[in-house]
Amino acid sequence: MNRSALRLAAFAAAFPLFAVTLALSQDVTPPSVTGKVPPITWVDKDTGHRVWRLSNEPNSGAFYFNVNGYTPDKKVMIYTAPDGIHTLELATKKTKLLVPNPPRPANADAATMRFGGVHAIIAGSKTNSVFYSQADPTTHVVTLYKADVYTGKVTRLTDLPKGMGVATINADETLGAGTINDSPTAVNYGDRAVPPAGLPPAPHVQPANKGQMMEERLAARIPLTLYTINLTSGKLTPLLHSTDWVNHLLFSPTDPTLLMYCHEGPWQKVDRIWTIHTDGTQNTLIHHRHIAMEIAGHEFWGLDGKTLWYDWQPIKGQDFYLASYNLTTGRRTAFHMDRNEWSIHFNLTKDLDLFCGDGGDPGQVAKAPDGEWIEIFHPQMIPTDGALNEPDFFQPGIFKSEHLVNMKWHDYHEEPNVRFSPDKSLVIFTSNMFGPSYVFGVEVARAINPPAADVISTPELDAQYKPKEPIDTHAIPK
C-alpha cells in the first residue's frame, strides 16, 4: 500500500510514521471498487468540461497543492504511486515509472515497511529532476537523491541526521530544509493515526482522528530545531529553536534564501504563517490576528516567489477570503467568496488571471451545502477610488466561480489538491471518485460539440465504479 505522498499533508513533519512511504506492497489493488477499469476521459454533463484520468496506477496521486510538481522546462509533471515515482509528459499524457520502489519483502510487517521505499519531495526549480529520499532498510539511514526525469540518472546527494526529514528544496537546489525533535524520545503522534473507514491508503488521505492528533501534538510543546542542510556537504545550519509545532516548510520558488513555514495546530490557536531567511534572520509573522476565532492557513507561494497566498477567515467558518501579501511591496489583497465557493486548497496562474479550488463537503469548515466541485475563479478587483485607504489595508476583490467537475462522489477525507498545468489548459487534481485514487485533469475551456456518448454526470459515472456514496468528513478541524 502507498503513503508516499502523505508527508506532504499538513501534519507530515510531526507524524513521521503516518507519513513514511509504505509503497513496497506487491498486493494488486483493483482499479475500482467494482473491479472495472475507469474511463480515460468523459465530459461532465453538469459543467460542460472534459475530464481526463492522467494516471493508470490505483492509489496514485499528484503532489500536495503548494509543492512544485513541474520540471523547469514545464514539460513534465511528477506524481507518486505504490510502485514508485512517476513522470507525466504533459503534451502527450504519456507516463513512465522513473524511480521504482524495491519489492516488498515476504511477510514484512508495518515496522519493516517504514524503510526502503522512495519518498518524493519536490520537482527541481533549476534542473529537470525530482528530489527524493530513501531509508536504508538495514541501517535506517535516510539519504537524499535526485533523479533526472529524462535520462533516469540518479545522483546521491547527502545523508540526513537521525530524526530529520527534508520537506523542501530551495530555488538553486543547494539546500534542503527540515526539522529535528530535540528529544529522541519524543512521542510520535503519527503512531496514533486512525485511517478513515473504508478508504484505501493513498496520497493526501487525512486520518479520521486528525483533529485529536493536532490538538495533542500542539499541546505537547515538543522542543525542535528548524535546520537547513547543504545538499553537497551535508552541513546543518540551525535557523530556529521552538516548542511550537513547526511544519509546512516551503522555499520560495525564486529566492533561494527565503523559507516559508507555519506554526501548525488548530488554526484559531496559532499564529500560523511565517517566513525566515536561510541565515536565520528576519523571522516574520505574515498575518496578524485582530479577531478572536480569526484563522489563516493553507499558505502557498505565488509563482513570482514574492507573494504569499492563504485562506483567510476573519471569523472561522463564517466569512471566506483568499488573501495575499507581497513581501517586496507590502501590498495585501483579499478576494471574497461565499461558503459554497470556499475550497480546502486554492491555486493560481502566474499572471493571476485565473484561480482554482478543490471544494469541500458539508463536513469541512465552511459547511457548504453545495461545495463539492473542482472550480475556477475569475478575479475582479473592487474599485477604491475616493475611499479611505492605507498602504496596509487589504485591497478588496471578489471571485466569480465556474464549476469544472462535480465531486459529489469524491470522499473528501482525501484532499484533491488542485493546481494549474503550466499552460493553464488543465486543472490537475487527485480523486478517489472511483475508489482508489488517481491523478485527473479537467480542461479549463468548455468542450465544444463533444460526442454524446462522452457526456455524463461525473457522480453518475462514478457510481458505476464505486456504488456507495461517500460520507462527509464530519468537520475535520482546520
Side-chain angles (χ1 to χ4, degrees), residues 166-186:
V166 165
T168 183
I169 304 295
N170 71 345
D172 64 8
E173 300 181 2
T174 60
L175 298 175
T179 61
I180 304 177
N181 288 338
D182 294 345
S183 170
T185 60

Side-chain angles (χ1 to χ4, degrees), residues 233-463:
S233 67
K235 178 186 176 182
L236 286 177
T237 301
L239 304 187
L240 180 73
H241 299 278
S242 181
T243 57
D244 289 304
W245 177 8
V246 173
N247 200 8
H248 265 300
L249 314 182
L250 195 64
F251 276 111
S252 162
T254 59
D255 183 345
T257 71
L258 184 58
L259 177 69
M260 176 180 69
Y261 71 95
C262 83
H263 288 183
E264 186 66 284
W267 293 5
Q268 70 274 13
K269 294 185 176 183
V270 295
D271 287 322
R272 181 173 166 105
I273 308 168
W274 297 75
T275 57
I276 193 170
H277 284 257
T278 52
D279 60 1
T281 63
Q282 302 180 56
N283 188 36
T284 304
L285 176 63
I286 298 302
H287 182 94
H288 292 265
R289 176 179 286 104
H290 295 284
I291 306 175
M293 293 302 291
E294 179 179 353
I295 63 172
H298 278 170
E299 58 283 346
F300 61 103
W301 286 104
L303 299 180
D304 61 359
K306 302 175 183 178
T307 307
L308 293 174
W309 293 83
Y310 54 95
D311 174 2
W312 174 39
Q313 299 173 37
I315 301 177
K316 179 181 177 180
Q318 300 302 317
D319 204 9
F320 308 94
Y321 297 83
L322 183 65
S324 73
Y325 176 64
N326 186 294
L327 298 173
T328 301
T329 66
R331 176 181 169 87
R332 294 184 182 270
T333 59
F335 290 99
H336 186 262
M337 68 199 83
D338 69 31
R339 66 178 63 248
N340 283 330
E341 294 172 316
W342 174 87
S343 290
I344 302 171
H345 305 109
F346 298 89
N347 231 310
L348 44 70
T349 60
K350 187 171 184 178
D351 52 12
L352 305 181
D353 62 334
L354 286 176
F355 294 76
C356 62
D358 52 12
D361 69 17
Q364 298 286 339
V365 65
K367 297 180 174 59
D370 184 27
E372 295 165 283
W373 302 90
I374 300 295
E375 51 196 347
I376 55 173
F377 302 106
H378 303 271
Q380 296 181 12
M381 297 302 296
I382 295 176
T384 58
D385 299 342
L388 294 175
N389 206 345
E390 298 292 340
D392 61 346
F393 282 10
F394 283 93
Q395 302 308 302
I398 57 173
F399 277 158
K400 296 293 186 180
S401 62
E402 178 182 351
H403 293 161
L404 300 185
V405 186
N406 188 334
M407 297 286 279
K408 184 70 174 176
W409 230 249
H410 172 81
D411 188 326
Y412 271 92
H413 284 95
E414 180 171 21
E415 298 174 345
N417 287 283
V418 285
R419 72 190 65 232
F420 284 99
S421 61
D423 65 359
K424 303 190 294 188
S425 66
L426 295 174
V427 171
I428 295 173
F429 60 99
T430 300
S431 177
N432 55 37
M433 63 177 72
F434 298 123
S437 65
Y438 293 94
V439 182
F440 295 88
V442 56
E443 295 180 1
V444 171
R446 290 175 63 90
I448 298 175
N449 298 322
D454 286 3
V455 181
I456 186 171
S457 172
T458 296
E460 182 182 346
L461 175 68
D462 297 342

Side-chain angles (χ1 to χ4, degrees), residues 7-153:
R7 67 173 308 282
L8 302 175
F11 47 88
F15 303 147
L17 176 60
F18 197 71
V20 77
T21 299
L22 298 179
L24 308 180
S25 176
Q26 296 175 336
D27 299 335
V28 177
T29 301
S32 68
V33 172
T34 62
K36 298 186 296 183
V37 177
I40 292 294
T41 188
W42 69 95
V43 174
D44 191 322
K45 182 179 180 181
D46 303 320
T47 70
H49 291 263
R50 179 169 291 279
V51 185
W52 294 88
R53 178 169 58 82
L54 300 176
S55 65
N56 297 311
E57 304 78 20
N59 295 332
S60 52
F63 283 175
Y64 191 56
F65 82 107
N66 64 6
V67 174
N68 177 44
Y70 300 120
T71 52
D73 63 8
K74 308 305 181 188
K75 295 180 180 180
V76 173
M77 189 189 85
I78 312 298
Y79 70 94
T80 63
D83 58 349
I85 302 171
H86 290 249
T87 61
L88 167 69
E89 188 178 89
L90 293 165
T92 64
K93 299 184 177 65
K94 292 181 179 179
T95 66
K96 71 175 182 180
L97 177 61
L98 178 67
V99 184
N101 273 302
R104 175 176 179 165
N107 302 318
D109 59 17
T112 302
M113 296 301 293
R114 291 184 63 180
F115 303 100
V118 296
H119 171 77
I121 298 171
I122 196 169
S125 295
K126 182 180 178 182
T127 60
N128 293 317
S129 58
V130 59
F131 289 81
Y132 68 95
S133 63
Q134 187 170 15
D136 185 282
T138 302
T139 66
H140 299 174
V141 172
V142 178
T143 302
L144 294 181
Y145 301 88
K146 74 172 182 178
D148 186 293
V149 302
Y150 295 117
T151 67
K153 178 184 176 182

